[in-house]
Amino acid sequence: MTVTWRFVPFDALTTTELYEVLQLRTEVFVMEQDGIYQDMDGSDHQAVHVLGASDGQLVAYARCFPAGVKFAEAGIGRVITRQVLRGSGMGHELMRQAIACVFGQWGAQPIRIGAQARLEKFYLQHGFVKAGLPYIEDGIPHIEMLRPV
């Protein structure tokens, strides 16, 4: 599968891209994970959106923030791959792209995430380490993790 990656500020998203992003986020975070929460949290306009598309379909997505928006450090969140692609390595490529996005936009620096606890081992593979106590967010166990420079 060939995936085309783009890093897009909110104001540059087309209405079709925004719709696809919100549709995928709802599909995964609300429907699949049975999460009842406000996905549109008012932060999208401060993010650079990482879009991975194949054959005209959004297959992977994350949003990246400069330091001082979500955390004191730069941040990555809303990390998603389509369910049919999980286990294919697409999530790892998405994380490489998201880290490259942060570094490309704001320079090499520490990155903090609020990771779902069940994905801790996945994020460890990308240089993140535990940086706090477990907590519950939207009914799901999470852990803050930090990727030093």
Side-chain angles (χ1 to χ4, degrees), residues 2 5 11 29 45 81 114:
T2 301
W5 296 96
D11 291 343
F29 295 128
H45 69 283
T81 57

Side-chain angles (χ1 to χ4, degrees), residues 12 23 28 33 35 67 79 82 98 102 112 120 122-123 129-130 132 139 149:
Q23 186 177 41
V28 173
Q33 296 181 357
V79 177
R82 286 208 179 271
V102 168
R112 186 173 295 266
E120 181 181 340
F122 170 83
Y123 290 111
V129 295
K130 275 188 188 179
V149 177

